[in-house]
Amino acid sequence: QVQLVESGGGTVQAGGSLRLSCEASGRTFNTMGWFRQAPGKDAEFVAVISWTGASTDYANFVKGRFTISRDNAKNMMYLQMNDLKPEDTAVYYCNAAAGWSMYQRREFDTWGQGTQVTVSS
């Protein structure tokens, strides 16, 4: 039962907001983040956060709109998404790596099953 489970996806109009959650179970995860994948496209990096939350990074296309955070006491990670655009429509996956450098090298330990985000015009 080592797993990540996403929730919070749904359908929203352009300009709206959603908050995605990722719950970890079975063990703790050091560096965690979010990828997304639209139909017919490669999965792309969205955001990452270190164990303490002191370090974060974002893809250019979400800077200023999305905020990643975590609450280790609750084994939770979040992605607050504001000012959503139709091009944000995708399945959003949380994932984890043993450390920051491993995440950068895409050496992921675990992936969630994903949650659908649909942004209408």
Side-chain angles (χ1 to χ4, degrees):
Q1 287 191 313
V2 177
Q3 63 179 7
L4 301 172
V5 179
E6 304 94 336
S7 62
T11 301
V12 65
Q13 291 192 53
S17 298
L18 286 172
R19 189 176 79 154
L20 305 184
S21 298
C22 176
E23 183 173 12
S25 62
R27 70 173 184 88
T28 58
F29 297 90
N30 187 303
T31 301
M32 302 183 69
W34 296 89
F35 273 62
R36 70 187 189 186
Q37 187 168 30
K41 307 206 75 176
D42 292 335
E44 59 185 356
F45 166 76
V46 176
V48 61
I49 188 167
S50 64
W51 169 250
T52 65
S55 298
T56 59
D57 196 20
Y58 299 90
N60 287 336
F61 51 78
V62 304
K63 285 181 179 176
R65 299 190 296 125
F66 291 10
T67 303
I68 189 170
S69 62
R70 67 192 297 169
D71 185 343
N72 291 339
K74 299 181 183 297
N75 298 317
M76 297 290 291
M77 180 183 64
Y78 308 98
L79 185 69
Q80 178 67 45
M81 306 186 295
N82 298 326
D83 191 25
L84 284 161
K85 303 175 180 180
E87 53 262 43
D88 294 319
T89 295
V91 177
Y92 284 70
Y93 300 90
C94 64
N95 58 12
W100 190 267
S101 62
M102 288 82 162
Y103 198 100
Q104 295 262 223
R105 288 187 255 117
R106 305 298 187 246
E107 296 177 359
F108 304 119
D109 293 332
T110 309
W111 290 80
Q113 282 71 51
T115 186
Q116 177 71 48
V117 172
T118 302
V119 184
S120 61
S121 301

